[in-house]
Amino acid sequence: MNAEIIAVGTELLLGQILNTNARFLSQKLALLGIDVYYQTVVGDNVGRLKSAIDVAKNRADILIFTGGLGPTKDDLTKETIASCVGTELVYDEQAMQYIEHYFKRTGRPVTENNKKQALVLKGASIFANDHGMAPGMGLEEGEKLYILLPGPPKEMNPMYESYVEPFLMKKVHREAQLYSRVLRFFGIGESQLETEIEDIIDSQTNPTIAPYASDGEVTLRITAKHSSSEIAQKLINETEARILNRVGSFFYGYDEMELHVKATELLKEKGLTLSCAESLTGGHFSQRITDIPGASEVFNGGIICYSNEVKQQVLQVPQAVLESEGAVSAVCAGILAQNVRHLLKTDIGISFTGAAGPDGLEGKAPGTVYLGIAAGEQPPFTVKLSLVGSRQVIRERTVKYGFYYLLKKLEEL
């Protein structure tokens, strides 16, 4: 089967927002074996949307719409589709109850245009919106399948994963099912990882392997198709073992796991506490770890030592070190990690110092970063990073490397 993605919204045509929904859906549909041959963007206009639907019906089995399900007059996707397929709109009771409850909690009356969001195509399968008001829906009409999804990615993405993907799997794969597992890697680029396992990718049949790169990380999705879940998992396990035999040193977790969550979980498992000294990252490391509920069990606190005065007066970095080695140095990173550990009375201390850019610092190029980790009374571990990108990218990647090397240290302890 093949699909066409139709994004509805004049703001997309004006370039006011990016059409990230099409990328997300194309990647997800590929994993189901559904080919996307066309992507269409159309403004909030009934006539042009009808024309787009007429064209799509002649070249696609599945028509997937994003956007145009909201409360305003220019939200006209479901009304237009209802007209095209000859059906009517009816109120979905569950969606209406959610909308009424929401407005009751906010102390405001429910307006008629907000009630509009609870209208759905008669006879459609309804997809709950766990992050918004307008539900999605799937309608079979003849040999065509119409899928309607909200436009905001924060609503559309989880709706697809929770409800639409299982719905499509039943429609597309009536016997064999698809089973997937995501492997997450850090510290290796996408091209290098692909090179290391190129022969495995080239020989793939079932399971299939799909690499993705995002924000300094690389993920591999292994997907097996079989009528037996046990056999599918066995196929995935065998492929995973072959991959990790090559690049296992860069592997850190599965599926939606993130570096900072994994590191925090490992700290809890080992009953260890952490503190940090942040120069160029300016508190970003502390923010990431305190975003996690229950982080207070393992994280005592951090010190933002942005100036040399704070490094010297609070964290006791000797002036001689700052003069001879500089703040951007392995020696300084090691002292910061060790001293913040002692000062905040934790098992492990981690530090970040460097030049985030756009200019260099102490004769060091932008992106020169030193990271230090002190565990117990062992000599501090330090590593030099040479990062590229904007100031913000360098800071964010520094934090990710911090969690990555923290993970490695925790695995050693």
Side-chain angles (χ1 to χ4, degrees), residues 30-34 163-181 205-208 222-236:
L31 298 173
L32 298 182
I34 299 173
Y163 306 110
V164 181
E165 187 169 82
F167 175 80
L168 285 173
M169 286 176 66
K170 291 178 182 178
K171 301 296 181 184
V172 178
H173 303 288
R174 299 187 185 277
E175 295 180 3
Q177 296 289 315
L178 289 175
Y179 302 85
S180 294
R181 183 182 304 162
T205 53
N206 185 27
T208 58
I222 307 172
T223 303
K225 179 181 178 182
H226 207 280
S227 57
S228 165
S229 62
E230 291 79 9
I231 294 176
Q233 294 300 332
K234 181 175 182 291
L235 291 170
I236 291 173

Side-chain angles (χ1 to χ4, degrees), residues 147-162:
I147 303 290
L148 286 69
L149 303 174
K154 66 178 182 180
E155 299 177 27
M156 195 277 290
N157 293 8
M159 180 185 290
Y160 175 87
E161 292 180 331
S162 297

Side-chain angles (χ1 to χ4, degrees), residues 252-272:
Y252 76 84
Y254 294 100
D255 299 320
E256 300 304 315
M257 178 61 69
E258 294 182 86
L259 277 166
H260 66 292
V261 177
K262 177 75 171 181
T264 304
E265 287 183 354
L266 201 50
L267 283 166
K268 290 180 180 179
E269 287 177 19
K270 293 180 176 288
L272 300 173

Side-chain angles (χ1 to χ4, degrees), residues 144-300:
K144 304 299 177 182
L145 179 58
Y146 296 81
I147 303 290
L148 286 69
L149 303 174
K154 66 178 182 180
E155 299 177 27
M156 195 277 290
N157 293 8
M159 180 185 290
Y160 175 87
E161 292 180 331
S162 297
Y163 306 110
V164 181
E165 187 169 82
F167 175 80
L168 285 173
M169 286 176 66
K170 291 178 182 178
K171 301 296 181 184
V172 178
H173 303 288
R174 299 187 185 277
E175 295 180 3
Q177 296 289 315
L178 289 175
Y179 302 85
S180 294
R181 183 182 304 162
V182 175
L183 311 183
R184 304 184 72 92
F185 301 85
F186 188 82
I188 184 172
E190 182 183 20
S191 58
Q192 183 187 348
L193 187 144
E194 284 196 40
T195 299
E196 294 291 337
I197 62 170
E198 186 174 10
D199 58 316
I200 302 176
I201 294 176
D202 289 343
S203 63
Q204 65 180 333
T205 53
N206 185 27
T208 58
I209 305 165
Y212 302 101
S214 174
D215 198 21
E217 298 189 35
V218 183
T219 62
L220 290 177
R221 182 184 290 271
I222 307 172
T223 303
K225 179 181 178 182
H226 207 280
S227 57
S228 165
S229 62
E230 291 79 9
I231 294 176
Q233 294 300 332
K234 181 175 182 291
L235 291 170
I236 291 173
N237 291 339
E238 290 171 352
T239 301
E240 177 186 331
R242 292 181 66 196
I243 292 170
L244 295 187
N245 187 50
R246 309 272 185 91
V247 290
S249 59
F250 302 100
F251 168 78
Y252 76 84
Y254 294 100
D255 299 320
E256 300 304 315
M257 178 61 69
E258 294 182 86
L259 277 166
H260 66 292
V261 177
K262 177 75 171 181
T264 304
E265 287 183 354
L266 201 50
L267 283 166
K268 290 180 180 179
E269 287 177 19
K270 293 180 176 288
L272 300 173
T273 54
L274 176 72
S275 58
C276 65
E278 300 188 65
S279 183
L280 83 155
T281 49
H284 188 50
F285 180 90
S286 300
Q287 179 187 351
R288 291 298 283 167
I289 198 167
T290 54
D291 281 343
I292 303 169
S296 58
E297 295 177 31
V298 297
F299 184 64
N300 282 18

Side-chain angles (χ1 to χ4, degrees), residues 59-128:
R59 63 189 185 187
D61 305 303
I62 306 171
L63 284 67
I64 302 180
F65 300 82
T66 64
L69 304 184
T72 61
K73 289 183 179 180
D74 60 357
D75 290 313
L76 38 79
T77 299
K78 55 193 172 188
E79 292 86 349
T80 306
I81 294 172
S83 174
C84 288
V85 302
T87 190
E88 60 181 316
L89 294 173
V90 296
Y91 282 104
D92 179 68
E93 184 177 345
Q94 186 174 353
M96 181 60 76
Q97 288 178 354
Y98 180 87
I99 292 170
E100 290 174 343
H101 179 66
Y102 172 82
F103 277 91
K104 184 177 180 180
R105 282 190 291 116
T106 58
R108 294 182 291 152
V110 182
T111 58
E112 286 302 317
N113 61 345
N114 274 295
K115 290 181 180 179
K116 172 188 169 185
Q117 294 184 93
L119 285 170
V120 298
L121 296 168
K122 186 176 181 179
S125 297
I126 307 305
F127 310 129

Side-chain angles (χ1 to χ4, degrees), residues 4 10 18-19 26 52 69 147 171-172 280 295 327 368 399-400:
E4 179 160 346
T10 302
L18 293 173
N19 187 13
S26 291
L69 304 184
I147 303 290
K171 301 296 181 184
V172 178
L280 83 155
T368 303
V399 169
K400 284 198 170 186

